[in-house]
Structures are given as structure tokens and as C-alpha cells.
Amino acid sequence: AVSVVPDMLRLKGGREEVAIRIIDRPGCRCRRDGVEACPAGGRSGLPVPAVERRVLELPAGEPEAIRARLKEWVRQEAKAYLGGILSSTAREHGFKFSSFNVRFQKTRWGSCSSKGSINLNAGLIFLPEALSRYIIAHELCHTRVMNHSSAFWKELFKVDPDALSRDQAIRPASRYTPGCVYDLKKPFPTAFAFIL
């Protein structure tokens, strides 16, 4: 049988796992379920970050309604998480933006209008934090330089010295995003061709 929603979502490149439960009472609830203690080093011997676990309870109902609630929960989580990174990065590097929004975009990780309005893809919450930070830095740099000229890249390297490697890493990053959150009719992940 095909599930209405996935059993679990992995956020922030797997650093946070959210188990999804359908319950027989109204209202969405999300609660912390602990932090998994990680060994001092993984296979490479490098430190492995702890994994935070949460449980999201969604009220039972029609499949489309359950999935719409899940999608809105993801958007709200992404807005809080990405908004924090956006604000702190802007403050630290002296950027100004006029507004900020989070949407489910199928072809872009982010965009910046000529008026300084930044839109970010809710799917960024599924990526490792370094890649989300890169996209945010990229869009903030567009508040100063609206193209991808050498002046833009010079600005971006001031914020993120590893911008070139992150730019390469972001291309296949849609593998982190569960397609079922984007398309309410598809239960399994699908790949999107994201561009900047």
C-alpha cells in the first residue's frame, strides 16, 4: 500500500529527523524526541554531528488534506530556519533586503528581485546547512549585483570563500528533497533540475 505521507523527513542534510504520525485528534503537533548521541568520529575519523529527533503529529483526514498540512508545516519550519540564517548573514556582512518569503519552487533554490525582495525555496531545509547558507549568501549578493558577473563573484567570495565548490555541490542537491512534499499527488521522491 502507498503511504499518504512519508514515515520520516530528514531535515538539514540528515541532522534532524522528523517522524510523522497520523493521529485521531485535531491540530498539528511537533515535539522533540531527543538527540542521538554520535560517536567521536565517523568512518573518516571526523566528528559526526548529533541527530535531533522530533515527532510531527498530523490529524487524520483525507489524504490531500494531510499532505497539505505537512507541506505547510515544512514551509513554516523552513521560513523560521532560513529566516534566521538570512538575518544573521545580512547583519554580519552589511546586506539589506526589502522582504523575504519562502515558497515551494520547482526550478529555483532562490531569487532576488531588483527591489531586494528575496524568495527562498522551502526545499532548502532538507539540504546540509552549508549549502543552504551558500544559497542565502548568493541571493544576498544579488541585492548588490543583479547578475553573475565577476563583480558578483567577487562579492560572493567575500561572504563564502568556498562559493565555487558549493556552487558545484548545489547542482545535484535536489536528491535531498522529497518530491512528495512538492507534488501532493506523488508519494515518492522525484528529482528536480534546480537552477540559481
Side-chain angles (χ1 to χ4, degrees):
V2 174
S3 176
V4 173
V5 295
D7 294 333
M8 179 176 296
L9 291 177
R10 287 176 176 78
L11 309 179
K12 304 170 189 173
R15 282 188 29 240
E16 189 173 326
E17 293 181 348
V18 180
I20 299 168
R21 305 285 180 261
I22 307 301
I23 57 168
D24 285 326
R25 64 176 183 256
C28 295
R29 292 174 183 81
C30 190
R31 59 182 166 80
R32 197 161 185 256
D33 199 32
V35 176
E36 179 184 310
C38 291
R43 283 188 225 168
S44 65
L46 296 172
V48 178
V51 176
E52 182 180 341
R53 298 190 191 287
R54 293 193 288 163
V55 175
L56 172 63
E57 297 175 338
L58 297 171
E62 293 296 316
E64 293 79 16
I66 294 171
R67 292 172 76 169
R69 283 188 195 98
L70 174 62
K71 187 172 181 174
E72 181 56 22
W73 180 85
V74 168
R75 194 185 73 75
Q76 291 293 333
E77 286 286 304
K79 188 162 188 176
Y81 170 66
L82 300 171
I85 296 172
L86 179 68
S87 295
S88 64
T89 305
R91 248 188 335 270
E92 182 181 346
H93 297 280
F95 289 103
K96 294 195 181 335
F97 58 95
S98 62
S99 64
F100 156 65
N101 200 7
V102 171
R103 298 182 299 186
F104 286 91
Q105 299 166 292
K106 289 193 176 184
T107 60
R108 294 187 181 273
W109 287 116
S111 62
C112 178
S113 75
S114 59
K115 294 180 180 178
S117 176
I118 293 179
N119 287 299
L120 296 174
N121 190 319
L124 288 171
I125 197 168
F126 297 105
L127 275 57
E129 185 177 337
L131 295 181
S132 296
R133 286 185 175 279
Y134 165 73
I135 293 296
I136 288 168
H138 185 111
E139 299 310 331
L140 282 169
C141 287
H142 279 313
T143 64
R144 293 180 183 163
V145 183
M146 283 301 296
N147 54 44
H148 291 115
S149 65
S150 58
F152 168 82
W153 284 97
K154 185 176 178 182
E155 194 71 43
L156 185 53
F157 285 131
K158 289 179 196 172
V159 181
D160 185 353
D162 294 324
L164 207 50
S165 64
R166 297 202 208 291
D167 188 63
Q168 293 301 313
I170 200 73
R171 308 235 176 251
S174 62
R175 71 181 183 273
Y176 292 103
T177 60
C180 61
V181 175
Y182 281 81
D183 186 343
L184 295 180
K185 293 181 176 48
K186 292 185 180 176
F188 301 108
T190 58
F192 295 111
F194 285 96
I195 57 174
L196 295 175

